[in-house]
Amino acid sequence: MTVLVNVIVTLGMLYVVPAGLRLIDPERLLRTARLWPLAAAPGALSLWLPRGTPATALAALYAVACLALAARAPGVRRTGRALDPPAIAVATALVSPSIAATALVAERAGYRLLGFDLDILALTVPHFHFAGFAAALVAGLVCRTLGGRAGTGRLAHGAAYSVPAGTLLVLLGYFVDDWAELLGAVVLTGGMWAVALLTWREIRPAAGARTTRILLACSAAVLVATMLLALWWALGEATGIPHPTLTWMAATHGLGNALGFAVCSLLAWRRLAADAPGRTATTGRTATAGRTSAAQGTTTAERTTADRLETSP
């Protein structure tokens, strides 16, 4: 299990976080995104060393970078309201790596932080890189794109609230009991399934390129299975019914969320964001033609996701 978890965490550190930063704010966070692999390299290296002072020191360097990123969360918010759903999703994404890095430092030092087993601390690291960072970010992107649309806005807002809330509840469950952790898993799963549904029904059909649609479809389909596994595991921990082992969860839930959801989602949203500027250059003529057609009683085509996309949630 250790090797697989280390591979997943390395992927989160070196690709998922910098790719997500470009989607959060491609202007103010561009330099941070470019330099992030250098900041994350010590943390990734620490995973492959035996527990001890060298590994702890390397993990601490990564923790400093993550704490600096978390400190930028208030300034990155572009929306007018602090409790705006996409703003909450952004804040969750930016703070989550610092929680992961703190657990990493303790685990590399062999220190049972707050009394937690070292295995739990080790699994906290991928959880907050993917459920904390990637899932919250994607929920925010979906909400930014669909939040104002009739019929889907309420579900999109609910996803942007429940993914961060579920992630926090799972964390709090570590301190309370298995039933509290189960509650967090239920809330998080509901939010992730809402993201999957909206991605499949609304985002995917509106994407222009076939490759983008495939990536979005893969990310949505994977979430259904992986979050069902998460519910099964949490329910088993709380009730004692047979459930997957941590090793099996890492090989299925963990790997599926990392590759099938996080990587596919980020690749798809980066493609959508890349399409947006080119479309923006022609919006003046498109809008004029649309108004002319409307005046003549015709119906204009609905804008694609790339037309509606703002690269910052």
Side-chain angles (χ1 to χ4, degrees), residues 20-311:
L21 293 178
R22 293 174 184 269
L23 290 170
I24 290 174
D25 193 328
E27 296 178 1
R28 279 175 284 186
L29 291 179
L30 178 59
R31 180 178 174 82
T32 302
R34 287 175 174 172
L35 295 177
W36 191 262
L38 295 177
L45 179 59
S46 75
L47 295 167
W48 303 97
L49 297 178
R51 292 191 183 106
T53 301
T56 304
L58 291 171
L61 291 176
Y62 179 58
V64 170
C66 291
L67 290 170
L69 181 63
R72 299 188 64 180
V76 172
R77 181 177 59 83
R78 286 183 168 182
T79 55
R81 293 177 296 159
L83 296 181
D84 185 81
I88 291 177
V90 166
T92 301
L94 292 178
V95 170
S96 289
S98 64
I99 300 175
T102 301
L104 178 65
V105 172
E107 189 274 333
R108 293 288 78 197
Y111 174 66
R112 290 165 56 95
L113 181 65
L114 301 175
F116 292 120
D117 292 338
L118 296 182
D119 286 344
I120 296 298
L121 292 174
L123 293 175
T124 299
V125 182
H127 179 75
F128 278 91
H129 276 97
F130 292 96
F133 181 86
L137 172 58
V138 173
L141 290 170
V142 169
C143 184
R144 170 59 70 192
T145 305
L146 303 175
R149 182 193 284 188
T152 61
R154 183 173 298 180
L155 184 59
H157 286 172
Y161 280 131
S162 58
V163 171
T167 302
L168 177 60
L169 287 172
V170 169
L171 176 62
L172 292 177
Y174 294 166
F175 298 93
V176 183
D177 57 24
D178 291 333
W179 287 100
E181 191 172 351
L182 174 60
L183 174 62
V186 170
V187 174
L188 179 59
T189 298
M192 296 291 276
W193 280 350
V195 169
L197 178 62
L198 291 170
T199 298
W200 182 272
R201 292 181 55 182
E202 305 294 335
I203 307 295
R204 178 188 58 86
R210 182 171 180 268
T211 300
T212 306
R213 294 197 302 272
I214 292 174
L215 289 170
L216 290 169
C218 180
S219 69
V222 164
L223 275 183
V224 176
T226 58
M227 295 313 297
L228 187 61
L229 287 170
L231 277 180
W232 183 12
W233 185 84
L235 182 62
E237 287 289 298
T239 65
I241 66 172
H243 59 285
T245 63
L246 287 177
T247 300
W248 201 78
M249 285 293 290
T252 53
H253 170 81
L255 190 61
N257 272 346
L259 298 180
F261 168 66
V263 172
C264 287
S265 290
L266 291 176
L267 286 173
W269 282 97
R270 287 191 67 179
R271 290 172 64 88
L272 290 172
D275 287 344
R279 295 177 181 273
T280 302
T282 62
T283 52
R285 287 176 295 177
T286 303
T288 301
R291 286 193 296 268
T292 302
S293 297
Q296 296 172 350
T298 60
T299 302
T300 57
E302 180 184 3
R303 293 184 300 168
T304 65
T305 298
D307 292 320
R308 296 190 304 271
L309 178 66
E310 293 179 20
T311 55

